[in-house]
Amino acid sequence: MKNVARLAAAAALASVVAGHSIFAEFEVNGVSAGKENGLRLPTYDGPIEDVTSSAVACNGGPNPLVKFSPNVIDVPAGAEITARWIHTLDTDWRTGLIIDASHKGPIMVYLSKVSNAATAAIPSGGWFKIHEEGYDSASGKWAVDRLIADRGYKFRIPSCVAPGNYLMRVELIALHAAGNYPGAQLYMECAQINITGGGSLSPATVNFPGAYSGSDPGIKFNLYQSPINYVIPGPRPVTCGGTQPQTTTAARTTTPAATTRATTTATTTTRAATTTGGGSGGGQQAAWGQCGGISWTGPTSCVSGYTCKEINAYYSQCAP
Ligand SMILES: *[C@@H]1O[C@H](CO)[C@@H](O)[C@H](O)[C@H]1NC(C)=O
Ligand SMILES: [Cu+2]
């Protein structure tokens, strides 16, 4: 009966693109701001692939922004944010598809200060990174693997960020087809937040477009090599005077000088690796899902109307 349920689910997904995802809700210290609240959203869950387009800042372009929340969400500096990506806006993050497991890659968060987050034009400048996580060779997990396992992705607003309104750019990059450029799939939406408390951080900033190029090793990247040495694109995240702004729980008892060095890398590695199911054996893969490739053990046939097409030796997907 599991298979029946899976087939029914696959059939239901056949009319939409199964691989994609959309950042559509967030929590502040464990309290949801409400689905689609405080966000600028497209209804289509597709990626941005052109890192030189203006849509690389807060989506739009091929996925027009059509859902504007009128609300700005208060976020205390130092707060823990949980970002919820869901496959489509109709998905329930508790039970539904988050993003296809093939879509491995890093997760990053940037802020840009604006006067009124509800009404500001999407800024091309002023962006600074507050969090990043790529690949952890110790656990063999990408940030996206943790997002899928946890049905949400946690990060912290650095306590030293200056108070005020910001657009918060929460970004996931799927690398399954990133061997050539364009190919990396950037999934980001921008939240409208008002940081309260905080400090007086005055960070160096980058532009979107501008922070990434098609030749960046973090954008043009072969996911299927071994060992994996992944360089997260963009600048390194800001730090607050040696205080690690990430969600690591390890107590730091090092000297100030050593701490300053240690905090320049932000990948958290303290979580135990929880595994997610990979391929599921039989059944038919949904539209755009993975259906083949070296070490793939999941379904190799596709739902009606789709055939399994090879993208490279490691990844085939169900295409019309
Ligand atoms: C941001 O928060 C501060 C501090 O609570 C408040 O005074 C201000 O009105 C808020 N601004 C917006 C635009 O929400
Ligand atoms: Cu996709």
Side-chain angles (χ1 to χ4, degrees):
M1 61 186 179
K2 265 228 155 106
N3 276 336
V4 172
R6 190 180 296 126
L7 283 172
L13 286 169
S15 61
V16 292
V17 181
H20 298 343
S21 197
I22 192 163
F23 162 52
E25 183 175 343
F26 62 102
E27 291 170 11
V28 181
N29 289 329
V31 178
S32 175
K35 190 172 180 182
E36 301 184 16
N37 195 25
L39 287 160
R40 300 178 178 203
L41 292 172
T43 51
Y44 182 63
D45 60 357
I48 301 298
E49 298 186 19
D50 180 356
V51 300
T52 68
S53 86
S54 59
V56 80
C58 289
N59 218 309
N63 318 315
L65 297 176
V66 290
K67 293 197 166 191
F68 285 81
S69 170
N71 298 324
V72 176
I73 309 302
D74 280 340
V75 175
E80 182 181 71
I81 305 293
T82 307
R84 307 279 185 202
W85 273 269
I86 44 179
H87 166 46
T88 74
L89 291 182
D90 295 331
T91 305
D92 184 337
W93 64 262
R94 296 163 194 82
T95 54
L97 179 65
I98 302 297
I99 189 168
D100 191 88
S102 64
H103 284 40
K104 297 183 190 309
I107 292 177
M108 288 156 274
V109 184
Y110 296 80
L111 298 175
S112 183
K113 204 163 195 304
V114 292
S115 53
N116 182 334
T119 58
I122 292 168
S124 59
W127 295 101
F128 58 99
K129 190 187 269 179
I130 60 165
H131 177 85
E132 65 181 9
E133 179 180 352
Y135 178 74
D136 176 34
S137 53
S139 65
K141 297 289 174 191
W142 289 88
V144 168
D145 294 322
R146 295 215 300 111
L147 162 70
I148 293 171
D150 296 347
R151 295 190 166 272
Y153 185 82
K154 292 186 192 310
F155 60 89
R156 212 167 264 287
I157 302 289
S159 56
C160 58
V161 172
N165 277 214
Y166 290 84
L167 290 185
M168 179 171 72
R169 178 180 183 276
V170 186
E171 175 185 39
L172 174 168
I173 303 183
L175 298 168
H176 55 291
N180 291 301
Y181 176 81
Q185 299 185 349
L186 283 61
Y187 295 92
M188 86 298 290
E189 273 75 32
C190 288
Q192 301 168 168
I193 66 171
N194 179 32
I195 293 182
T196 62
S200 56
L201 180 72
S202 160
T205 62
V206 297
N207 294 340
F208 280 108
Y212 304 161
S213 84
S215 59
D216 277 356
I219 298 293
K220 185 176 181 296
F221 179 77
N222 175 11
L223 177 64
Y224 310 102
Q225 64 194 319
S226 182
I228 288 174
N229 288 303
Y230 182 70
V231 180
I232 300 171
R236 299 287 70 78
V238 298
T239 57
C240 295
T243 301
Q244 172 60 274
Q246 309 303 326
T247 53
T248 47
T249 52
R252 290 177 193 277
T253 53
T254 45
T255 64
T259 304
T260 304
R261 271 319 301 162
T263 52
T264 56
T265 59
T267 305
T268 59
T269 55
T270 51
R271 278 179 182 252
T274 48
T275 53
T276 49
S280 54
Q284 288 182 307
Q285 182 57 283
W288 302 108
Q290 185 170 2
C291 54
I294 292 170
S295 82
W296 174 247
T297 57
T300 53
S301 65
C302 301
V303 293
S304 171
Y306 288 78
T307 50
C308 191
K309 292 185 179 146
E310 181 178 289
I311 294 198
N312 56 47
Y314 300 89
Y315 188 79
S316 300
Q317 70 178 13
C318 292

Coordinates of all heavy atoms in Angstrom, one line a residue, residues 17-21 45 47 99-100 103 174 176 185 187 288 317, ligand 2:
V17 N 6.5 20.6 -11.7 CA 8.0 20.3 -11.7 C 8.4 19.8 -10.4 O 8.4 20.6 -9.4 CB 8.8 21.6 -12.2 CG1 10.2 21.2 -12.2 CG2 8.3 22.1 -13.5
A18 N 8.7 18.6 -10.3 CA 8.9 18.0 -9.0 C 10.2 18.4 -8.3 O 10.3 18.2 -7.1 CB 8.9 16.4 -9.1
G19 N 11.2 18.8 -9.0 CA 12.4 19.0 -8.4 C 12.5 20.4 -7.6 O 13.4 20.5 -6.8
H20 N 11.7 21.3 -8.0 CA 12.0 22.7 -7.5 C 11.5 22.9 -6.1 O 10.8 22.1 -5.5 CB 11.3 23.7 -8.5 CG 11.9 23.6 -9.9 ND1 13.0 23.0 -10.2 CD2 11.4 24.1 -11.0 CE1 13.3 23.1 -11.5 NE2 12.3 23.7 -12.0
S21 N 11.7 24.2 -5.6 CA 11.3 24.5 -4.2 C 11.2 26.0 -4.1 O 11.7 26.8 -4.9 CB 12.3 23.9 -3.2 OG 11.8 23.8 -1.9
D45 N 7.8 27.8 -8.6 CA 8.9 27.4 -7.7 C 10.2 27.2 -8.5 O 11.1 26.5 -7.9 CB 8.5 26.1 -7.0 CG 8.2 25.0 -7.9 OD1 8.3 25.2 -9.2 OD2 7.9 23.9 -7.5
P47 N 13.9 27.9 -10.4 CA 15.2 28.6 -9.9 C 15.5 29.8 -10.8 O 15.0 30.0 -11.9 CB 16.2 27.4 -10.1 CG 15.7 26.7 -11.4 CD 14.2 26.7 -11.3
I99 N 12.3 19.5 -1.0 CA 13.0 19.6 -2.3 C 13.5 18.3 -2.7 O 13.8 17.5 -1.8 CB 14.1 20.7 -2.2 CG1 14.7 21.0 -3.6 CG2 15.2 20.2 -1.3 CD1 15.6 22.3 -3.6
D100 N 13.6 18.0 -4.0 CA 14.1 16.7 -4.4 C 15.5 16.4 -3.8 O 16.4 17.3 -3.8 CB 14.1 16.6 -5.9 CG 14.3 15.2 -6.4 OD1 13.3 14.4 -6.5 OD2 15.5 14.8 -6.6
H103 N 18.8 17.6 -5.3 CA 19.2 19.1 -5.4 C 20.1 19.5 -4.3 O 19.9 20.4 -3.5 CB 17.9 19.9 -5.3 CG 17.1 19.9 -6.6 ND1 16.9 18.8 -7.4 CD2 16.4 20.9 -7.2 CE1 16.1 19.1 -8.4 NE2 15.8 20.4 -8.3
A174 N 21.1 24.5 -5.8 CA 21.1 23.1 -6.2 C 22.2 22.9 -7.3 O 22.2 23.6 -8.3 CB 19.7 22.7 -6.6
H176 N 22.9 19.9 -8.8 CA 22.9 18.6 -9.6 C 23.2 18.7 -11.0 O 23.5 17.8 -11.7 CB 21.5 17.9 -9.3 CG 20.4 18.8 -9.7 ND1 20.0 19.9 -9.0 CD2 19.5 18.7 -10.7 CE1 18.9 20.5 -9.5 NE2 18.6 19.8 -10.6
Q185 N 21.2 25.8 -9.9 CA 19.8 26.4 -9.7 C 19.8 27.1 -8.4 O 19.9 26.5 -7.3 CB 18.8 25.2 -9.7 CG 18.8 24.5 -11.1 CD 17.7 23.4 -11.1 OE1 17.1 23.1 -10.2 NE2 17.5 22.9 -12.3
Y187 N 17.8 29.0 -5.6 CA 16.4 29.2 -5.1 C 16.5 30.1 -3.9 O 17.0 29.8 -2.9 CB 15.9 27.8 -4.6 CG 15.7 26.8 -5.7 CD1 16.7 25.9 -6.0 CD2 14.5 26.7 -6.4 CE1 16.5 25.0 -7.0 CE2 14.3 25.8 -7.4 CZ 15.4 24.9 -7.7 OH 15.2 24.0 -8.7
W288 N 10.5 15.6 -13.7 CA 11.7 16.3 -13.4 C 12.5 15.6 -12.3 O 13.6 16.1 -11.9 CB 11.5 17.8 -13.1 CG 10.9 18.5 -14.2 CD1 9.6 18.9 -14.3 CD2 11.4 18.8 -15.5 NE1 9.3 19.5 -15.5 CE2 10.4 19.5 -16.3 CE3 12.7 18.6 -16.1 CZ2 10.7 19.9 -17.6 CZ3 12.9 19.1 -17.3 CH2 11.9 19.7 -18.1
Q317 N 17.1 12.7 -15.5 CA 15.9 13.1 -15.0 C 14.7 12.9 -15.9 O 14.9 12.8 -17.1 CB 16.0 14.6 -14.5 CG 16.0 15.6 -15.6 CD 16.1 17.0 -15.1 OE1 16.2 17.2 -13.9 NE2 15.9 18.0 -16.0
Ligands
CU2 CU 14.5 21.7 -9.5

